Every structure is written in structure tokens, then in C-alpha cells.
Amino acid sequence: MTAISERIHQAAGVVVPGSAEYRELLASIAEGASARDLDDTNPFDQIDALRSAGFGALRLPTSVGGGGLTIRELFAVIIDVAEADPIVAHILRTHYWFVEERLRQATAAGYQGLENDRWISLILQGKIFGNASSERGSEAVGNFKYGTRITSSGDRFLLDGEKFYSTGTLFSDYVSVWADVDGTAVASVIVPTDRDGVEIVDDWDGIGQRRTGTGTTRFHDVEVTEADIVSRIPLDAPPEPSYQFAFLQLYLHGLISGILRSVVSDAVELVAGRSRGFSHGPSAELNRDPLLQNSIGTLASTAFAAESVTLAAADAIDAAYASLDDAVPDAELAAQASLRTSQAKVHVDEIATRAATALFELGGASAASRAKNLDRHWRNIRTISLHNPASYKASAVGNHLLNSEPLPFNGYF
């Protein structure tokens, strides 16, 4: 597991990354992960275990009872959890983004302090926040046009609409919703998942990341208070610098980095468990076979490279976060965070899918056994990487370097 710097100390209710308790918790999550994937079992118990261990508050300052982790240290934890079970790690993606939003807002002028923040209090209580942003339809992804709407009804508001790709919401206490307001603004609204009119449908049928709750969420005349609306952004407002989109995208590569660790450990176990090779092979002892040694060495190097570029990009996000002034980061540092995250994706997507395929070459035909479930690594990596095309990322990076064009600015890039 990843070692976290010694300056992180035990906060009330938060397990210390790298501690014996932390390692035991991750081991318990890893136990049965493959079986849960095979059986399509939702990891409710595993999410509850992380909730009880204070994982939702890892980024909050120790002064209010959080773990005090930097963004890089948080990503190291995400990689650890993804190694144990990438399904469980993925479920918390929007939660950590929401926490990051609260920390950003905490630097705004006139902010009353984290200790007085309603949402921070709920996070410290172990509440989990899910996601309802994406919608099906003909509108281009990332254009901030939503069919989900907030309308006024007397002295109250009503929320109506349907979302898809609602990752984590099935396991969450609250859901973060993006909705149109009178065709003039987009609002971020937080409502309890058990509020009247909220319907969560577990209908995601992807080949990978199957039990992340990435399905449909419907809102039928859901009552919304002014306090539930955390932001309103006019549609004609000029975009402000942001590192939040980079955070959301890099999270996916934290997941892939954790999966690649599992690919390596499964590769070692696969070779160690084989009792015979081929008569025309270079060695009767498979652990001495230079071809198999080469393959495992290549897989281990791939995993190391993926994790390294992911954490390097996290450093760039950390720098942007440290520059916050009145809730807005330095424009150059925010752009650098987006660039580093985009470069990480272009590299990691290619090497990761190749590694997950190469794993099978270490075991012969028996590696294809459904019981071994080694295909889950490829399925999960392939599904995660589809969140946005690497070809568009590479093209945008090239255009930026050749022509100084800014990178696209939305949560899907």
C-alpha cells in the first residue's frame, strides 16, 4: 500500500492511510471483490465500511475532524482502494468532487467557516454524496444544457427531470444535481436521496464497473429549498479558471492505476499457480522462464508508470488548489492541471488496456476460465477509459502546444 507522509495524524473518526487499521480495511474490501463482480452483487457493506472509517472526510482539515490529506495523498488512497476493488473506489468519485467544491468555496470572500458549513457537517457525519449530471439525448456532451429543470412554485422550488450515468447515487445519502433555471442559468442542487419524488433505478448494464450504481435517477416534483441550491451560474457568464474538471477526470486514472496493480499481482499468482508449461518452452520451471519473467516485468513497469503520471498530475491540481483566491485558482496553474491530466489520460489509456490483455498470455487457455474472472480487469479499464475519448484529448493537447489554443472547458474533458 502507498505510504502517506508522517505529518498526517489521527483525526477523530478517520482511519490513517498506511496504518494497520487502514491495511486491514482494504484487505476486507479486496476479499470477495472478484466474486461480487461475477455475481453482480452491490458493495453496500464495503461502502459502509469506508463510511465508518471516515474516508469521506479524508480531504477535510484536521482542525474540523477530517484527515487533512493533500490532493496527491487523496489520489494515493484512491489508487489503494481501486486496487482492492475499483467498483467501490468509483462509487466515491462524485463525493470527493463535492468535498473539493466545499473546500474551494471555503476560500470565497465572506465565507463563514468550515465549522459553520451545513455540508461539511454532513460529510463529517459520514454522509455520502452522489451524482446526477449527465442526461441522454441529442445535446452535445459538456454544453451545460439540461432538460432537468428547477421551477418556482409559490414560495418554493420544484425539481423535475431524468439523469443517467448517476454513478454512486444508489449508495449515497445525498445527490448533487445539475439543473436548468428558467433557461438563463444552471444550478447545482443537493437533495437527500430519500426525499419524496427521487427515484433511483439500478439499470446500468455496462460490460465493466457494473455495480457502481451508474444508472437512471428521476426527479418528480421534488421540493427544493433555497438552502439546497449551492450555486447558480448564468449561461452567459464567462468561464472562470477551474481545476475541478481535471480532478474529476484524473480520478478515473487513479482507478485504472489501482486496477493495474491487481493485474500485476494476478499475473504473478497465475504463473506461480501453473504446474506445466510447453515442451517447446525455454524452461520447465515457469518461474525461470525468461519470456514469462519479461512479461511480468513489463506489466509491473506499466503499473508503475500509470501510477507515477497520475500522481504527477495530482501535484499539478494541488498547485492550482493552493493558489485559490476568492474561490478562483490562478489561471495558468488551473490550465496546467488540465494539461497534465489530459496527458495522463492519453498515456494511461493506451498502456492499461494493453496490459490487461497481456495478462492472459501468462496463463494459457486456463487463464480464460470464467471462475478466474481475469477479464474483469480489461472490462473495467475499457469502461472507465470510455468516459471521454483519448483521441480528442490528444488532439486538444497538440492544438494547445502548436497554436496556444486553450483546452476545452467542461466536466467531460
Side-chain angles (χ1 to χ4, degrees):
M1 301 302 171
T2 301
I4 304 298
S5 66
E6 292 182 359
R7 69 169 186 76
I8 302 301
H9 63 271
Q10 179 78 44
V14 179
V15 169
V16 177
S19 66
E21 187 179 5
Y22 176 81
R23 292 191 294 271
E24 290 171 6
L25 176 60
L26 292 182
S28 72
I29 290 171
E31 185 177 0
S34 177
R36 289 193 296 272
D37 177 87
L38 278 172
D39 299 336
D40 269 348
T41 301
N42 283 317
F44 287 109
D45 291 343
Q46 288 69 34
I47 292 296
D48 284 343
L50 292 181
R51 182 201 308 271
S52 298
F55 268 58
L58 286 171
R59 271 282 289 148
L60 296 183
T62 56
S63 60
V64 297
L69 270 62
T70 65
I71 291 173
R72 179 191 177 96
E73 290 167 341
L74 175 66
F75 271 87
V77 170
I78 292 165
I79 293 170
D80 284 349
V81 179
E83 179 185 12
D85 188 343
I87 305 296
V88 172
H90 199 165
I91 287 167
L92 296 175
R93 181 183 178 219
T94 300
H95 174 86
Y96 285 126
W97 169 85
F98 180 71
V99 173
E100 209 59 39
E101 265 296 279
R102 300 317 304 156
L103 291 173
R104 183 184 68 83
Q105 289 292 340
T107 68
Y111 185 74
Q112 298 301 306
L114 290 172
E115 65 276 5
N116 298 314
D117 190 306
R118 166 193 177 191
W119 307 111
I120 295 296
S121 175
L122 290 169
I123 292 165
L124 290 169
Q125 292 172 32
K127 302 302 183 184
I128 302 296
F129 291 76
N131 146 68
S133 299
S134 299
E135 297 181 357
R136 286 169 159 164
S138 59
E139 292 288 352
V141 172
N143 66 6
F144 298 107
K145 292 183 179 179
Y146 297 110
T148 301
R149 300 184 182 279
I150 297 175
T151 56
S152 299
S153 178
D155 59 353
R156 60 181 183 151
F157 300 100
L158 294 177
L159 175 66
D160 289 276
E162 180 173 303
K163 300 286 188 176
F164 196 61
Y165 301 120
S166 305
T167 302
T169 297
L170 182 68
F171 305 85
S172 300
D173 305 286
Y174 290 81
V175 58
S176 173
V177 190
W178 286 98
D180 175 87
V181 182
D182 301 326
T184 62
V186 173
S188 175
V189 186
I190 312 298
V191 296
T193 53
D194 61 357
R195 183 170 288 179
D196 288 346
V198 178
E199 180 187 5
I200 300 171
V201 185
D202 192 10
D203 58 350
W204 166 240
D205 64 349
I207 60 171
Q209 298 299 95
R210 293 196 297 225
R211 294 294 97 206
T212 54
T214 305
T216 300
T217 305
R218 300 189 182 101
F219 304 94
H220 311 275
D221 290 337
V222 178
E223 290 197 23
V224 174
T225 68
E226 186 66 41
D228 296 331
I229 302 175
V230 295
S231 69
R232 287 185 181 86
I233 304 172
L235 291 177
D236 59 358
E240 292 182 335
S242 173
Y243 61 87
Q244 290 289 57
F245 301 148
F247 181 97
L248 274 172
Q249 296 305 320
L250 188 64
Y251 195 102
L252 300 172
H253 300 98
L255 301 178
I256 291 175
S257 297
I259 295 171
L260 286 174
R261 284 188 186 173
S262 295
V263 168
V264 175
S265 58
D266 279 354
V268 172
E269 182 178 341
L270 195 59
V271 172
R274 287 178 60 182
S275 58
R276 62 175 184 168
F278 291 89
S279 60
H280 51 281
S283 173
E285 297 179 88
L286 296 181
N287 62 318
R288 301 295 180 184
D289 185 323
L291 298 180
L292 297 180
Q293 291 173 345
N294 179 281
S295 295
I296 288 179
T298 299
L299 290 177
S301 301
T302 297
F304 172 74
E307 184 169 340
S308 296
V309 298
T310 297
L311 294 178
D315 283 336
I317 299 175
D318 253 324
Y321 169 77
S323 74
L324 284 170
D325 181 17
D326 197 13
V328 179
D330 175 82
E332 289 187 9
L333 291 176
Q336 185 74 354
S338 181
L339 175 63
R340 293 298 181 229
T341 297
S342 299
Q343 291 172 316
K345 176 183 173 60
V346 172
H347 176 62
V348 171
D349 279 9
E350 180 180 356
I351 64 173
T353 50
R354 191 164 64 238
T357 299
L359 170 62
F360 290 93
E361 297 170 9
L362 294 166
S366 62
S369 166
R370 190 72 184 100
K372 283 186 171 66
N373 198 25
L374 295 178
D375 63 300
R376 74 186 187 281
H377 300 313
W378 186 92
R379 288 187 287 102
N380 285 326
I381 290 171
R382 181 71 274 189
T383 301
I384 292 167
S385 67
L386 291 174
H387 278 69
N388 49 76
S391 56
Y392 285 166
K393 291 271 191 178
S395 179
V397 170
N399 192 23
H400 171 72
L401 295 175
L402 286 170
N403 305 309
S404 299
E405 287 288 336
L407 296 175
F409 184 79
N410 64 71
Y412 299 92
F413 182 82

